[in-house]
Amino acid sequence: QAFFCLLFCIPWGSSCPRSCQCTERAGAKAVLCSSRHLEEIPKDIPRDVVLLKLDANSITRIPSNAFRHLSRLEEIDLSRNAIEKIDRAAFKGVAAGLRTLDLSSNRIRSIPKEALLALNAKLRLANNPWHCECALQEVLWEARLDPDSVQDITCHTAPREEYVGKPLLQVLDAGVNFCSVRQRTMDVAVFVTMFGWFAMVIVYVICYVRHNQEDACKHRDYLKPLPSTQAQAE
């Protein structure tokens, strides 16, 4: 046990975040911040960290460039937090080297596809209150999801009540395409908008014609009482 502690728990550097523990094994440095009541990602994480554990905290958001300076980072564990928002550039700078990203058991309802699709990491997204939509479908199709947890990506809310409570993969296997639903919705919106503009043009033309007709009638009525040139000559 003493040897194990020496091997895995050797402290390194003086730049370790105050609320975390920093260790090193075979040259691979780890920052362990599990269950430390953190509400945000620490700012002073050493640049040469390889493993970063931030699980079981109270983090609510992953801001842009949160890990950009961690060029050697290979694994991030953000499971069992209270994450609700992930910015589009949250993982900018670590996309190429990251191998594992655990976002399971948070409060994530939706996520910008740009935040994940650039990653080569294996993703764990299970046990979140997902809103099943096109962006989530694209993530499921294009990202590298952990096969052991993909069945636990469940529709907490969805465009139709019959999908609620079902695994997203099961819904998609049944032939549902959330992206085509969105496209049809957009097409309808464009059609309604164009119809509205067309109706406004028609109304304007009708009003313009009627206005001109009224002006012509008024002008004709004005000329009727006037004596003609021929009558004045007589």
Side-chain angles (χ1 to χ4, degrees):
Q1 185 176 1
F3 176 76
F4 178 86
C5 184
L6 287 173
L7 185 62
F8 291 97
C9 305
I10 299 174
W12 49 273
S14 59
S15 60
C16 186
R18 184 177 57 183
S19 57
C20 303
Q21 178 186 5
C22 296
T23 65
E24 182 174 353
R25 176 189 176 190
K29 299 180 179 180
V31 176
L32 311 178
C33 309
S34 305
S35 304
R36 300 302 175 98
H37 307 289
L38 299 176
E39 296 182 356
E40 61 181 16
I41 297 169
K43 305 293 185 185
D44 52 349
I45 299 172
R47 292 179 176 272
D48 52 353
V49 62
V50 175
L51 167 64
L52 177 59
K53 290 187 67 65
L54 294 163
D55 55 303
N57 283 291
S58 302
I59 298 171
T60 59
R61 178 191 175 199
I62 307 177
S64 296
N65 302 310
F67 310 100
R68 188 172 186 175
H69 63 292
L70 308 178
S71 58
R72 296 186 59 188
L73 193 58
E74 295 182 3
E75 182 175 347
I76 306 175
D77 186 354
L78 284 158
S79 63
R80 296 183 294 150
N81 274 277
I83 298 171
E84 296 181 352
K85 180 175 177 56
I86 300 175
D87 291 357
R88 294 177 184 275
F91 304 103
K92 187 174 182 180
V94 297
L98 201 62
R99 296 181 181 178
T100 303
L101 174 59
D102 194 342
L103 293 169
S104 59
S105 301
N106 278 281
R107 300 175 184 174
I108 307 170
R109 297 190 70 251
S110 63
I111 190 169
K113 63 179 182 180
E114 297 85 357
L116 299 182
L117 294 185
L119 295 176
N120 293 320
K122 183 183 292 184
L123 301 174
R124 298 190 182 103
L125 303 175
N127 301 317
N128 281 285
W130 291 107
H131 174 64
C132 289
E133 57 179 349
C134 182
L136 181 58
Q137 175 178 316
E138 290 177 340
V139 168
L140 189 64
W141 280 349
E142 300 182 35
R144 291 185 58 211
L145 296 179
D146 183 353
D148 295 332
S149 64
V150 68
Q151 286 290 348
D152 294 322
I153 301 177
T154 303
C155 296
H156 184 74
T157 57
R160 297 177 61 173
E161 188 68 25
E162 61 189 275
Y163 307 144
V164 175
K166 293 183 178 179
L168 176 59
L169 189 62
Q170 178 183 334
V171 174
L172 297 179
D173 285 345
V176 177
N177 188 335
F178 293 106
C179 294
S180 65
V181 170
R182 184 179 69 175
Q183 184 62 45
R184 287 198 300 270
T185 302
M186 292 178 62
D187 291 343
V188 171
V190 171
F191 175 78
V192 170
T193 302
M194 292 180 63
F195 179 80
W197 279 105
F198 182 73
M200 288 177 62
V201 171
I202 295 298
V203 170
Y204 173 79
V205 171
I206 293 174
C207 292
Y208 180 78
V209 171
R210 287 184 177 178
H211 180 71
N212 287 345
Q213 287 178 343
E214 290 175 357
D215 287 346
C217 290
K218 290 179 181 178
H219 185 67
R220 187 170 59 250
D221 293 341
Y222 171 77
L223 293 177
K224 282 182 180 180
L226 297 178
S228 63
T229 305
Q230 183 180 359
Q232 290 179 357
E234 293 176 353

